[in-house]
Amino acid sequence: MEVKYLKDSEFLVLLLITTFVVITNVYFIAWDDSPQSWDPALHLTYSFVYFNLIKSLQFSEIVKVSNYYPPFFYLSSTPLYFLFGFSEDIAILTNLIYYFILIYSVFQIAKIMKDRNAGVISAVIISAFPALIKFQRVYMIDFALLSLTAFAILLYLRSEDFRNLKYSVLFGIVFGIAELTKWNAFVYIIPSIFALFLVNYFMRCPYCHQIVKNGWKVGYRRFCSKKHLKLYEKSAKTNNTMLNFAISLFVAFLFAAWWYLPNLSTVIMRLTYFANIGGKEGDPAFLTIQGWIYYANSILDAVGAVFLILFAVSIYYLYKNNRYLFLGLLTPIALIYIILTLLSNKDPRYIMPVLPFVAISIGVFVSSLANRKYSTILTFIILLFGLLNISALTFGQPDIDNKILPNPEHPKKEDWKIYALLEAIKESGGEGKIVVVLPDHPYLNGQSLNFYRLKEGYKFAIYNGVYIGYEAFVHNFDKITYIILIEPREHKGVYGDIEKKLYEFFYERKDNFEVVKVFDLPDNSKLYIYKRT
């Protein structure tokens, strides 16, 4: 009865935090009026285009929408649009689907590696990581990629190193879908299954696939017994592992090729460019100490100090008590960490797909404590920190300015005059004209304004000045009818120098323009619409 009670209590803990995540996500998304910033606006633009193509039955055009971002994430939002209509809030709520995929995958992976209790605790922990809470509230690809990566790893484990054909095929399907979500899915999935394959190769019986501590050693492999060695030798001729592996890759290819083959040359060209752009954006090089600790700091920011300490303790505990789990959980993290560090282009969100391994390591440690009472107490402490993390990122409380809890956030009610700006351009004769936005402002940039223009059906073109570049701006200046400015403006960031040059060039020719409208912005700056006279 006591064991059953403890299992039920831990399941209730998971149910509580899952419900809290869903409710707070819906609340935050519904009440937050912040406009879409750079990348979310771009992704929403694609999603809106895909929805309209499907609605008008133009399926052949889907492959042509973007030759850089694959379409699956955007397409996964379309059922919600048909049910509730297109809106920013409905689009972002697509992440709830991927949240359930994530907690299911983490629960099952931990259950396979340890037991049910480890699965429950791991799912609770992954629900409480600050970075993942934040990414569920923006329309970005990264959270979906994380969830599908975890799901693919789960199916690989279920395939028993591709011994099981059914799960090998399912792995191939999810791998293909993950690649259709973002092209770098293989950077996470291949190293993970390679690491798990190596650990299983050296530590599991080839015949029964059970973990072997001593057993009967033959070469580098260990068998449960001499009997299993003989049975394995007899069955080796009918072993379809390599065939199943090939089938899974072929299935992945079938699912992804319809988009990649028509866009392959452009994808490779743009990936090569963005893989090496890190130096221009100020990312630390891999030959520097800053380069090697970049993602360590990113993990700290993603999970918080409390969970990072628990992760370090769990790694030490597993090293001392369970080498299989130590290697099985740490090796994928290490391989992905090294690969991402060697790449020039860095971003904190790129390391997110290793977080399920972090959560499972902590979950396995907590569930393995010899004293069941301590394990239960620690589980409820984890729940408490999880609820505090979610509360800080939803209601702005508790407000603790350090690494113990994330910096507080709450839904914002601010009017950045986007709809008024678009309407002012239309009313001043903007139909068919070209509009260039000079500031690379989070909300008032070309990508963001173009999304709202498209959504509202305005018939003029909007471009981001810093993206088209100074030379192109100067070359096509006479074709530009409207210029959007913010003043006062501090030119900083990755595009600060270009932005400054654009401002200077325009101000030298300002006499050829007149002010159409001026808006006061929430940060006390002013938004100017200039029109060529």
PDB file of all heavy atoms in Angstrom, residues 164-197:
ATOM      1  N   ASN A 164      14.171  -4.061 -33.499  1.00  0.00           N
ATOM      2  CA  ASN A 164      12.725  -4.155 -33.682  1.00  0.00           C
ATOM      3  C   ASN A 164      12.316  -3.346 -34.914  1.00  0.00           C
ATOM      4  O   ASN A 164      12.518  -2.128 -34.964  1.00  0.00           O
ATOM      5  CB  ASN A 164      12.013  -3.622 -32.426  1.00  0.00           C
ATOM      6  CG  ASN A 164      10.510  -3.745 -32.503  1.00  0.00           C
ATOM      7  OD1 ASN A 164       9.870  -3.133 -33.348  1.00  0.00           O
ATOM      8  ND2 ASN A 164       9.943  -4.536 -31.604  1.00  0.00           N
ATOM      9  N   LEU A 165      11.760  -4.016 -35.911  1.00  0.00           N
ATOM     10  CA  LEU A 165      11.423  -3.362 -37.176  1.00  0.00           C
ATOM     11  C   LEU A 165      10.348  -2.297 -36.995  1.00  0.00           C
ATOM     12  O   LEU A 165      10.448  -1.198 -37.558  1.00  0.00           O
ATOM     13  CB  LEU A 165      10.953  -4.403 -38.195  1.00  0.00           C
ATOM     14  CG  LEU A 165      10.485  -3.836 -39.547  1.00  0.00           C
ATOM     15  CD1 LEU A 165      11.596  -3.062 -40.234  1.00  0.00           C
ATOM     16  CD2 LEU A 165       9.966  -4.964 -40.435  1.00  0.00           C
ATOM     17  N   LYS A 166       9.317  -2.588 -36.229  1.00  0.00           N
ATOM     18  CA  LYS A 166       8.210  -1.640 -36.044  1.00  0.00           C
ATOM     19  C   LYS A 166       8.713  -0.305 -35.523  1.00  0.00           C
ATOM     20  O   LYS A 166       8.408   0.763 -36.095  1.00  0.00           O
ATOM     21  CB  LYS A 166       7.183  -2.242 -35.078  1.00  0.00           C
ATOM     22  CG  LYS A 166       6.110  -1.259 -34.637  1.00  0.00           C
ATOM     23  CD  LYS A 166       5.237  -1.889 -33.552  1.00  0.00           C
ATOM     24  CE  LYS A 166       4.349  -0.847 -32.897  1.00  0.00           C
ATOM     25  NZ  LYS A 166       3.547  -1.429 -31.789  1.00  0.00           N
ATOM     26  N   TYR A 167       9.496  -0.341 -34.457  1.00  0.00           N
ATOM     27  CA  TYR A 167       9.970   0.906 -33.867  1.00  0.00           C
ATOM     28  C   TYR A 167      11.088   1.532 -34.694  1.00  0.00           C
ATOM     29  O   TYR A 167      11.299   2.749 -34.629  1.00  0.00           O
ATOM     30  CB  TYR A 167      10.400   0.684 -32.418  1.00  0.00           C
ATOM     31  CG  TYR A 167       9.218   0.567 -31.491  1.00  0.00           C
ATOM     32  CD1 TYR A 167       8.843  -0.664 -30.956  1.00  0.00           C
ATOM     33  CD2 TYR A 167       8.461   1.685 -31.171  1.00  0.00           C
ATOM     34  CE1 TYR A 167       7.743  -0.774 -30.116  1.00  0.00           C
ATOM     35  CE2 TYR A 167       7.354   1.578 -30.330  1.00  0.00           C
ATOM     36  CZ  TYR A 167       7.009   0.356 -29.808  1.00  0.00           C
ATOM     37  OH  TYR A 167       5.910   0.253 -28.986  1.00  0.00           O
ATOM     38  N   SER A 168      11.783   0.742 -35.475  1.00  0.00           N
ATOM     39  CA  SER A 168      12.774   1.310 -36.399  1.00  0.00           C
ATOM     40  C   SER A 168      12.081   2.163 -37.461  1.00  0.00           C
ATOM     41  O   SER A 168      12.551   3.258 -37.803  1.00  0.00           O
ATOM     42  CB  SER A 168      13.574   0.193 -37.069  1.00  0.00           C
ATOM     43  OG  SER A 168      14.318  -0.554 -36.128  1.00  0.00           O
ATOM     44  N   VAL A 169      10.957   1.676 -37.963  1.00  0.00           N
ATOM     45  CA  VAL A 169      10.184   2.433 -38.959  1.00  0.00           C
ATOM     46  C   VAL A 169       9.614   3.698 -38.318  1.00  0.00           C
ATOM     47  O   VAL A 169       9.671   4.790 -38.913  1.00  0.00           O
ATOM     48  CB  VAL A 169       9.062   1.567 -39.553  1.00  0.00           C
ATOM     49  CG1 VAL A 169       8.120   2.408 -40.414  1.00  0.00           C
ATOM     50  CG2 VAL A 169       9.658   0.430 -40.376  1.00  0.00           C
ATOM     51  N   LEU A 170       9.061   3.557 -37.111  1.00  0.00           N
ATOM     52  CA  LEU A 170       8.511   4.728 -36.421  1.00  0.00           C
ATOM     53  C   LEU A 170       9.597   5.763 -36.139  1.00  0.00           C
ATOM     54  O   LEU A 170       9.362   6.978 -36.255  1.00  0.00           O
ATOM     55  CB  LEU A 170       7.831   4.298 -35.121  1.00  0.00           C
ATOM     56  CG  LEU A 170       6.531   3.505 -35.280  1.00  0.00           C
ATOM     57  CD1 LEU A 170       6.030   3.014 -33.928  1.00  0.00           C
ATOM     58  CD2 LEU A 170       5.460   4.357 -35.961  1.00  0.00           C
ATOM     59  N   PHE A 171      10.786   5.288 -35.770  1.00  0.00           N
ATOM     60  CA  PHE A 171      11.912   6.211 -35.582  1.00  0.00           C
ATOM     61  C   PHE A 171      12.202   6.961 -36.878  1.00  0.00           C
ATOM     62  O   PHE A 171      12.404   8.181 -36.876  1.00  0.00           O
ATOM     63  CB  PHE A 171      13.152   5.443 -35.133  1.00  0.00           C
ATOM     64  CG  PHE A 171      14.420   6.254 -35.242  1.00  0.00           C
ATOM     65  CD1 PHE A 171      14.761   7.190 -34.268  1.00  0.00           C
ATOM     66  CD2 PHE A 171      15.266   6.105 -36.334  1.00  0.00           C
ATOM     67  CE1 PHE A 171      15.909   7.960 -34.381  1.00  0.00           C
ATOM     68  CE2 PHE A 171      16.426   6.858 -36.454  1.00  0.00           C
ATOM     69  CZ  PHE A 171      16.742   7.786 -35.473  1.00  0.00           C
ATOM     70  N   GLY A 172      12.210   6.251 -38.008  1.00  0.00           N
ATOM     71  CA  GLY A 172      12.467   6.883 -39.290  1.00  0.00           C
ATOM     72  C   GLY A 172      11.433   7.944 -39.615  1.00  0.00           C
ATOM     73  O   GLY A 172      11.767   9.030 -40.122  1.00  0.00           O
ATOM     74  N   ILE A 173      10.162   7.659 -39.299  1.00  0.00           N
ATOM     75  CA  ILE A 173       9.098   8.633 -39.555  1.00  0.00           C
ATOM     76  C   ILE A 173       9.329   9.908 -38.750  1.00  0.00           C
ATOM     77  O   ILE A 173       9.287  11.026 -39.286  1.00  0.00           O
ATOM     78  CB  ILE A 173       7.720   8.024 -39.226  1.00  0.00           C
ATOM     79  CG1 ILE A 173       7.388   6.904 -40.214  1.00  0.00           C
ATOM     80  CG2 ILE A 173       6.628   9.096 -39.237  1.00  0.00           C
ATOM     81  CD1 ILE A 173       6.140   6.115 -39.846  1.00  0.00           C
ATOM     82  N   VAL A 174       9.595   9.746 -37.455  1.00  0.00           N
ATOM     83  CA  VAL A 174       9.777  10.920 -36.588  1.00  0.00           C
ATOM     84  C   VAL A 174      11.063  11.657 -36.932  1.00  0.00           C
ATOM     85  O   VAL A 174      11.118  12.894 -36.888  1.00  0.00           O
ATOM     86  CB  VAL A 174       9.743  10.499 -35.101  1.00  0.00           C
ATOM     87  CG1 VAL A 174      10.053  11.690 -34.198  1.00  0.00           C
ATOM     88  CG2 VAL A 174       8.378   9.926 -34.760  1.00  0.00           C
ATOM     89  N   PHE A 175      12.103  10.919 -37.297  1.00  0.00           N
ATOM     90  CA  PHE A 175      13.351  11.554 -37.727  1.00  0.00           C
ATOM     91  C   PHE A 175      13.091  12.425 -38.960  1.00  0.00           C
ATOM     92  O   PHE A 175      13.532  13.577 -39.055  1.00  0.00           O
ATOM     93  CB  PHE A 175      14.394  10.480 -38.022  1.00  0.00           C
ATOM     94  CG  PHE A 175      15.787  11.014 -38.286  1.00  0.00           C
ATOM     95  CD1 PHE A 175      16.110  12.345 -38.084  1.00  0.00           C
ATOM     96  CD2 PHE A 175      16.777  10.163 -38.749  1.00  0.00           C
ATOM     97  CE1 PHE A 175      17.394  12.820 -38.323  1.00  0.00           C
ATOM     98  CE2 PHE A 175      18.066  10.626 -38.986  1.00  0.00           C
ATOM     99  CZ  PHE A 175      18.368  11.959 -38.784  1.00  0.00           C
ATOM    100  N   GLY A 176      12.337  11.880 -39.919  1.00  0.00           N
ATOM    101  CA  GLY A 176      11.999  12.647 -41.111  1.00  0.00           C
ATOM    102  C   GLY A 176      11.167  13.874 -40.783  1.00  0.00           C
ATOM    103  O   GLY A 176      11.403  14.966 -41.327  1.00  0.00           O
ATOM    104  N   ILE A 177      10.203  13.716 -39.868  1.00  0.00           N
ATOM    105  CA  ILE A 177       9.374  14.851 -39.463  1.00  0.00           C
ATOM    106  C   ILE A 177      10.218  15.905 -38.744  1.00  0.00           C
ATOM    107  O   ILE A 177      10.033  17.118 -38.945  1.00  0.00           O
ATOM    108  CB  ILE A 177       8.212  14.372 -38.568  1.00  0.00           C
ATOM    109  CG1 ILE A 177       7.215  13.569 -39.402  1.00  0.00           C
ATOM    110  CG2 ILE A 177       7.522  15.546 -37.881  1.00  0.00           C
ATOM    111  CD1 ILE A 177       6.125  12.911 -38.587  1.00  0.00           C
ATOM    112  N   ALA A 178      11.157  15.450 -37.907  1.00  0.00           N
ATOM    113  CA  ALA A 178      12.050  16.387 -37.213  1.00  0.00           C
ATOM    114  C   ALA A 178      12.881  17.184 -38.216  1.00  0.00           C
ATOM    115  O   ALA A 178      13.077  18.400 -38.061  1.00  0.00           O
ATOM    116  CB  ALA A 178      12.950  15.638 -36.242  1.00  0.00           C
ATOM    117  N   GLU A 179      13.355  16.512 -39.267  1.00  0.00           N
ATOM    118  CA  GLU A 179      14.112  17.220 -40.311  1.00  0.00           C
ATOM    119  C   GLU A 179      13.212  18.184 -41.081  1.00  0.00           C
ATOM    120  O   GLU A 179      13.675  19.223 -41.567  1.00  0.00           O
ATOM    121  CB  GLU A 179      14.748  16.220 -41.268  1.00  0.00           C
ATOM    122  CG  GLU A 179      15.986  15.540 -40.730  1.00  0.00           C
ATOM    123  CD  GLU A 179      17.131  16.508 -40.491  1.00  0.00           C
ATOM    124  OE1 GLU A 179      17.242  17.503 -41.233  1.00  0.00           O
ATOM    125  OE2 GLU A 179      17.907  16.298 -39.546  1.00  0.00           O
ATOM    126  N   LEU A 180      11.932  17.854 -41.185  1.00  0.00           N
ATOM    127  CA  LEU A 180      10.980  18.761 -41.827  1.00  0.00           C
ATOM    128  C   LEU A 180      10.569  19.906 -40.908  1.00  0.00           C
ATOM    129  O   LEU A 180       9.871  20.828 -41.328  1.00  0.00           O
ATOM    130  CB  LEU A 180       9.729  18.009 -42.263  1.00  0.00           C
ATOM    131  CG  LEU A 180       9.792  17.304 -43.622  1.00  0.00           C
ATOM    132  CD1 LEU A 180       8.476  16.584 -43.896  1.00  0.00           C
ATOM    133  CD2 LEU A 180      10.099  18.281 -44.750  1.00  0.00           C
ATOM    134  N   THR A 181      10.982  19.819 -39.644  1.00  0.00           N
ATOM    135  CA  THR A 181      10.729  20.898 -38.697  1.00  0.00           C
ATOM    136  C   THR A 181      11.881  21.891 -38.712  1.00  0.00           C
ATOM    137  O   THR A 181      11.676  23.102 -38.783  1.00  0.00           O
ATOM    138  CB  THR A 181      10.532  20.340 -37.278  1.00  0.00           C
ATOM    139  OG1 THR A 181       9.437  19.421 -37.291  1.00  0.00           O
ATOM    140  CG2 THR A 181      10.263  21.441 -36.272  1.00  0.00           C
ATOM    141  N   LYS A 182      13.106  21.372 -38.669  1.00  0.00           N
ATOM    142  CA  LYS A 182      14.291  22.220 -38.815  1.00  0.00           C
ATOM    143  C   LYS A 182      15.431  21.353 -39.306  1.00  0.00           C
ATOM    144  O   LYS A 182      15.615  20.227 -38.846  1.00  0.00           O
ATOM    145  CB  LYS A 182      14.656  22.904 -37.492  1.00  0.00           C
ATOM    146  CG  LYS A 182      15.588  24.084 -37.674  1.00  0.00           C
ATOM    147  CD  LYS A 182      15.752  24.885 -36.384  1.00  0.00           C
ATOM    148  CE  LYS A 182      16.621  26.107 -36.614  1.00  0.00           C
ATOM    149  NZ  LYS A 182      16.808  26.906 -35.365  1.00  0.00           N
ATOM    150  N   TRP A 183      16.232  21.911 -40.209  1.00  0.00           N
ATOM    151  CA  TRP A 183      17.252  21.120 -40.893  1.00  0.00           C
ATOM    152  C   TRP A 183      18.342  20.612 -39.965  1.00  0.00           C
ATOM    153  O   TRP A 183      19.031  19.662 -40.276  1.00  0.00           O
ATOM    154  CB  TRP A 183      17.896  21.941 -42.025  1.00  0.00           C
ATOM    155  CG  TRP A 183      17.628  23.399 -41.951  1.00  0.00           C
ATOM    156  CD1 TRP A 183      16.783  24.103 -42.756  1.00  0.00           C
ATOM    157  CD2 TRP A 183      18.175  24.349 -41.035  1.00  0.00           C
ATOM    158  NE1 TRP A 183      16.764  25.431 -42.395  1.00  0.00           N
ATOM    159  CE2 TRP A 183      17.604  25.611 -41.345  1.00  0.00           C
ATOM    160  CE3 TRP A 183      19.082  24.265 -39.968  1.00  0.00           C
ATOM    161  CZ2 TRP A 183      17.909  26.769 -40.642  1.00  0.00           C
ATOM    162  CZ3 TRP A 183      19.385  25.431 -39.260  1.00  0.00           C
ATOM    163  CH2 TRP A 183      18.807  26.651 -39.597  1.00  0.00           C
ATOM    164  N   ASN A 184      18.530  21.224 -38.780  1.00  0.00           N
ATOM    165  CA  ASN A 184      19.610  20.786 -37.897  1.00  0.00           C
ATOM    166  C   ASN A 184      19.175  19.688 -36.930  1.00  0.00           C
ATOM    167  O   ASN A 184      19.889  19.381 -35.976  1.00  0.00           O
ATOM    168  CB  ASN A 184      20.181  21.963 -37.107  1.00  0.00           C
ATOM    169  CG  ASN A 184      19.159  22.624 -36.204  1.00  0.00           C
ATOM    170  OD1 ASN A 184      17.965  22.355 -36.305  1.00  0.00           O
ATOM    171  ND2 ASN A 184      19.619  23.490 -35.315  1.00  0.00           N
ATOM    172  N   ALA A 185      18.018  19.070 -37.164  1.00  0.00           N
ATOM    173  CA  ALA A 185      17.561  17.993 -36.275  1.00  0.00           C
ATOM    174  C   ALA A 185      18.597  16.871 -36.178  1.00  0.00           C
ATOM    175  O   ALA A 185      18.793  16.282 -35.109  1.00  0.00           O
ATOM    176  CB  ALA A 185      16.224  17.442 -36.770  1.00  0.00           C
ATOM    177  N   PHE A 186      19.268  16.574 -37.282  1.00  0.00           N
ATOM    178  CA  PHE A 186      20.250  15.486 -37.281  1.00  0.00           C
ATOM    179  C   PHE A 186      21.415  15.776 -36.339  1.00  0.00           C
ATOM    180  O   PHE A 186      22.059  14.851 -35.831  1.00  0.00           O
ATOM    181  CB  PHE A 186      20.778  15.238 -38.696  1.00  0.00           C
ATOM    182  CG  PHE A 186      21.704  16.305 -39.219  1.00  0.00           C
ATOM    183  CD1 PHE A 186      23.080  16.180 -39.079  1.00  0.00           C
ATOM    184  CD2 PHE A 186      21.196  17.440 -39.836  1.00  0.00           C
ATOM    185  CE1 PHE A 186      23.934  17.166 -39.553  1.00  0.00           C
ATOM    186  CE2 PHE A 186      22.045  18.431 -40.310  1.00  0.00           C
ATOM    187  CZ  PHE A 186      23.417  18.294 -40.163  1.00  0.00           C
ATOM    188  N   VAL A 187      21.706  17.048 -36.079  1.00  0.00           N
ATOM    189  CA  VAL A 187      22.801  17.418 -35.170  1.00  0.00           C
ATOM    190  C   VAL A 187      22.527  16.904 -33.762  1.00  0.00           C
ATOM    191  O   VAL A 187      23.459  16.613 -33.004  1.00  0.00           O
ATOM    192  CB  VAL A 187      22.998  18.946 -35.159  1.00  0.00           C
ATOM    193  CG1 VAL A 187      23.998  19.376 -34.089  1.00  0.00           C
ATOM    194  CG2 VAL A 187      23.449  19.432 -36.532  1.00  0.00           C
ATOM    195  N   TYR A 188      21.257  16.751 -33.418  1.00  0.00           N
ATOM    196  CA  TYR A 188      20.874  16.275 -32.092  1.00  0.00           C
ATOM    197  C   TYR A 188      20.537  14.787 -32.086  1.00  0.00           C
ATOM    198  O   TYR A 188      20.897  14.070 -31.149  1.00  0.00           O
ATOM    199  CB  TYR A 188      19.675  17.078 -31.587  1.00  0.00           C
ATOM    200  CG  TYR A 188      19.898  18.566 -31.646  1.00  0.00           C
ATOM    201  CD1 TYR A 188      19.292  19.353 -32.627  1.00  0.00           C
ATOM    202  CD2 TYR A 188      20.747  19.193 -30.737  1.00  0.00           C
ATOM    203  CE1 TYR A 188      19.505  20.716 -32.685  1.00  0.00           C
ATOM    204  CE2 TYR A 188      20.964  20.567 -30.797  1.00  0.00           C
ATOM    205  CZ  TYR A 188      20.345  21.321 -31.774  1.00  0.00           C
ATOM    206  OH  TYR A 188      20.577  22.669 -31.835  1.00  0.00           O
ATOM    207  N   ILE A 189      19.859  14.331 -33.113  1.00  0.00           N
ATOM    208  CA  ILE A 189      19.382  12.941 -33.108  1.00  0.00           C
ATOM    209  C   ILE A 189      20.508  11.956 -33.380  1.00  0.00           C
ATOM    210  O   ILE A 189      20.663  10.951 -32.655  1.00  0.00           O
ATOM    211  CB  ILE A 189      18.239  12.777 -34.138  1.00  0.00           C
ATOM    212  CG1 ILE A 189      17.018  13.598 -33.696  1.00  0.00           C
ATOM    213  CG2 ILE A 189      17.861  11.308 -34.295  1.00  0.00           C
ATOM    214  CD1 ILE A 189      15.879  13.623 -34.697  1.00  0.00           C
ATOM    215  N   ILE A 190      21.321  12.206 -34.405  1.00  0.00           N
ATOM    216  CA  ILE A 190      22.385  11.269 -34.751  1.00  0.00           C
ATOM    217  C   ILE A 190      23.407  11.103 -33.622  1.00  0.00           C
ATOM    218  O   ILE A 190      23.724   9.963 -33.225  1.00  0.00           O
ATOM    219  CB  ILE A 190      23.080  11.683 -36.069  1.00  0.00           C
ATOM    220  CG1 ILE A 190      22.094  11.613 -37.243  1.00  0.00           C
ATOM    221  CG2 ILE A 190      24.292  10.796 -36.338  1.00  0.00           C
ATOM    222  CD1 ILE A 190      21.546  10.240 -37.519  1.00  0.00           C
ATOM    223  N   PRO A 191      23.960  12.182 -33.042  1.00  0.00           N
ATOM    224  CA  PRO A 191      24.893  11.990 -31.917  1.00  0.00           C
ATOM    225  C   PRO A 191      24.252  11.280 -30.735  1.00  0.00           C
ATOM    226  O   PRO A 191      24.920  10.480 -30.050  1.00  0.00           O
ATOM    227  CB  PRO A 191      25.299  13.421 -31.550  1.00  0.00           C
ATOM    228  CG  PRO A 191      25.085  14.203 -32.781  1.00  0.00           C
ATOM    229  CD  PRO A 191      23.879  13.596 -33.434  1.00  0.00           C
ATOM    230  N   SER A 192      22.981  11.557 -30.471  1.00  0.00           N
ATOM    231  CA  SER A 192      22.307  10.931 -29.328  1.00  0.00           C
ATOM    232  C   SER A 192      22.186   9.422 -29.510  1.00  0.00           C
ATOM    233  O   SER A 192      22.531   8.648 -28.603  1.00  0.00           O
ATOM    234  CB  SER A 192      20.922  11.550 -29.124  1.00  0.00           C
ATOM    235  OG  SER A 192      21.028  12.915 -28.795  1.00  0.00           O
ATOM    236  N   ILE A 193      21.694   8.999 -30.678  1.00  0.00           N
ATOM    237  CA  ILE A 193      21.520   7.557 -30.859  1.00  0.00           C
ATOM    238  C   ILE A 193      22.871   6.865 -31.040  1.00  0.00           C
ATOM    239  O   ILE A 193      23.032   5.703 -30.663  1.00  0.00           O
ATOM    240  CB  ILE A 193      20.567   7.239 -32.026  1.00  0.00           C
ATOM    241  CG1 ILE A 193      21.159   7.649 -33.374  1.00  0.00           C
ATOM    242  CG2 ILE A 193      19.221   7.895 -31.818  1.00  0.00           C
ATOM    243  CD1 ILE A 193      20.363   7.130 -34.558  1.00  0.00           C
ATOM    244  N   PHE A 194      23.859   7.566 -31.597  1.00  0.00           N
ATOM    245  CA  PHE A 194      25.206   6.998 -31.716  1.00  0.00           C
ATOM    246  C   PHE A 194      25.795   6.750 -30.331  1.00  0.00           C
ATOM    247  O   PHE A 194      26.366   5.683 -30.062  1.00  0.00           O
ATOM    248  CB  PHE A 194      26.108   7.931 -32.516  1.00  0.00           C
ATOM    249  CG  PHE A 194      27.541   7.453 -32.616  1.00  0.00           C
ATOM    250  CD1 PHE A 194      27.861   6.341 -33.379  1.00  0.00           C
ATOM    251  CD2 PHE A 194      28.558   8.118 -31.932  1.00  0.00           C
ATOM    252  CE1 PHE A 194      29.176   5.887 -33.462  1.00  0.00           C
ATOM    253  CE2 PHE A 194      29.869   7.673 -32.009  1.00  0.00           C
ATOM    254  CZ  PHE A 194      30.178   6.561 -32.776  1.00  0.00           C
ATOM    255  N   ALA A 195      25.634   7.736 -29.438  1.00  0.00           N
ATOM    256  CA  ALA A 195      26.150   7.584 -28.074  1.00  0.00           C
ATOM    257  C   ALA A 195      25.434   6.443 -27.351  1.00  0.00           C
ATOM    258  O   ALA A 195      26.075   5.611 -26.693  1.00  0.00           O
ATOM    259  CB  ALA A 195      25.967   8.891 -27.310  1.00  0.00           C
ATOM    260  N   LEU A 196      24.109   6.385 -27.491  1.00  0.00           N
ATOM    261  CA  LEU A 196      23.352   5.321 -26.827  1.00  0.00           C
ATOM    262  C   LEU A 196      23.685   3.961 -27.419  1.00  0.00           C
ATOM    263  O   LEU A 196      23.751   2.948 -26.689  1.00  0.00           O
ATOM    264  CB  LEU A 196      21.850   5.604 -26.960  1.00  0.00           C
ATOM    265  CG  LEU A 196      21.348   6.809 -26.158  1.00  0.00           C
ATOM    266  CD1 LEU A 196      19.934   7.188 -26.586  1.00  0.00           C
ATOM    267  CD2 LEU A 196      21.386   6.503 -24.669  1.00  0.00           C
ATOM    268  N   PHE A 197      23.912   3.916 -28.732  1.00  0.00           N
ATOM    269  CA  PHE A 197      24.301   2.650 -29.366  1.00  0.00           C
ATOM    270  C   PHE A 197      25.634   2.150 -28.810  1.00  0.00           C
ATOM    271  O   PHE A 197      25.773   0.965 -28.484  1.00  0.00           O
ATOM    272  CB  PHE A 197      24.399   2.822 -30.880  1.00  0.00           C
ATOM    273  CG  PHE A 197      24.986   1.631 -31.578  1.00  0.00           C
ATOM    274  CD1 PHE A 197      24.195   0.523 -31.854  1.00  0.00           C
ATOM    275  CD2 PHE A 197      26.329   1.596 -31.939  1.00  0.00           C
ATOM    276  CE1 PHE A 197      24.735  -0.598 -32.478  1.00  0.00           C
ATOM    277  CE2 PHE A 197      26.877   0.489 -32.564  1.00  0.00           C
ATOM    278  CZ  PHE A 197      26.078  -0.614 -32.838  1.00  0.00           C
TER     279      PHE A 197
END
